[in-house]
Amino acid sequence: ATNIASTAPHRERMASSTSKGRGGLDTVELVHASGATATVYLWGATLTSYCTAQREEMIFVSPGAVFDGTQPIRGGVPVVFPQFGRPDQRLPMHGFARTSTWSVDSFVDATEETRAPPSPRLSTPSLPDAPRPPPHPAPSRDPGLLLSLSESAATLELWPHRFRLELTVRLS
């Protein structure tokens, strides 16, 4: 895992880290000063875990979920776009956002946001080079991240509209 913010002993500071999750898919883990954690897969921008400070898991992911980047993660908290269900048969069930790799635009772990430069969408940024908060994050700020997804040649083929989605995940 790559540590995105420094952490002090006794969990006095918050941190974000990137790592490979199940199936080798890229994830971001947020860690709050209280000990609460959240895990988000960049595949589908799917929140797959939220554990309280008491380590109680609050998010259900199906034991049959497939983590290979070929289908949506079954369970968790997915992003459904541009349709719910399948009213347009040309599009996959619940759209393509949950079967696309989202970009990390920024991490929020301190008193200011660190924004990454624009990157091509539907591609994973180089995680070791991901944006980094200042080296001494203040524990008064809730850890979070901003993910985005924009149109690409592949999405325009399915759905001929320009778009930009942003998803903020924050522990507070």
Side-chain angles (χ1 to χ4, degrees), residues 69-81:
T70 65
Q71 57 187 292
I73 295 171
R74 189 170 174 201
V77 181
V79 176
V80 174
F81 178 84

Side-chain angles (χ1 to χ4, degrees), residues 20-28 39-49 59-80 93-102 147:
K20 296 291 183 185
R22 292 174 57 186
L25 297 176
D26 294 320
T27 65
V28 176
T39 302
V40 180
Y41 276 76
L42 298 186
W43 176 250
T46 304
L47 175 72
T48 58
S49 177
I59 304 294
F60 172 80
V61 175
S62 171
V66 176
F67 290 82
D68 66 0
T70 65
Q71 57 187 292
I73 295 171
R74 189 170 174 201
V77 181
V79 176
V80 174
M93 177 71 80
H94 304 315
F96 48 75
R98 62 193 198 128
T99 56
S100 298
T101 301
W102 289 55
L147 302 174

Side-chain angles (χ1 to χ4, degrees), residues 23-163:
L25 297 176
D26 294 320
T27 65
V28 176
E29 182 176 25
L30 302 175
V31 180
H32 191 270
S34 69
T37 62
T39 302
V40 180
Y41 276 76
L42 298 186
W43 176 250
T46 304
L47 175 72
T48 58
S49 177
Y50 165 67
C51 288
T52 66
Q54 294 74 35
R55 300 288 185 219
E56 182 181 358
E57 179 60 64
M58 304 302 289
I59 304 294
F60 172 80
V61 175
S62 171
V66 176
F67 290 82
D68 66 0
T70 65
Q71 57 187 292
I73 295 171
R74 189 170 174 201
V77 181
V79 176
V80 174
F81 178 84
Q83 67 180 5
F84 186 81
R86 198 158 184 206
D88 182 340
Q89 294 296 310
R90 295 171 298 161
L91 293 170
M93 177 71 80
H94 304 315
F96 48 75
R98 62 193 198 128
T99 56
S100 298
T101 301
W102 289 55
S103 297
V104 176
D105 279 4
S106 63
F107 291 95
V108 180
D109 280 324
T111 56
E112 60 185 76
E113 204 173 291
T114 304
R115 191 168 282 276
S119 61
R121 301 304 179 223
L122 294 178
S123 65
T124 304
S126 174
L127 293 177
D129 297 326
R132 299 177 191 283
H136 303 290
S140 62
R141 188 75 182 253
D142 300 329
L145 73 151
L146 174 66
L147 302 174
S148 69
L149 179 69
S150 296
E151 77 280 343
S152 69
T155 64
L156 289 169
E157 231 177 83
L158 294 171
W159 194 65
H161 303 283
R162 296 181 56 94
F163 68 90

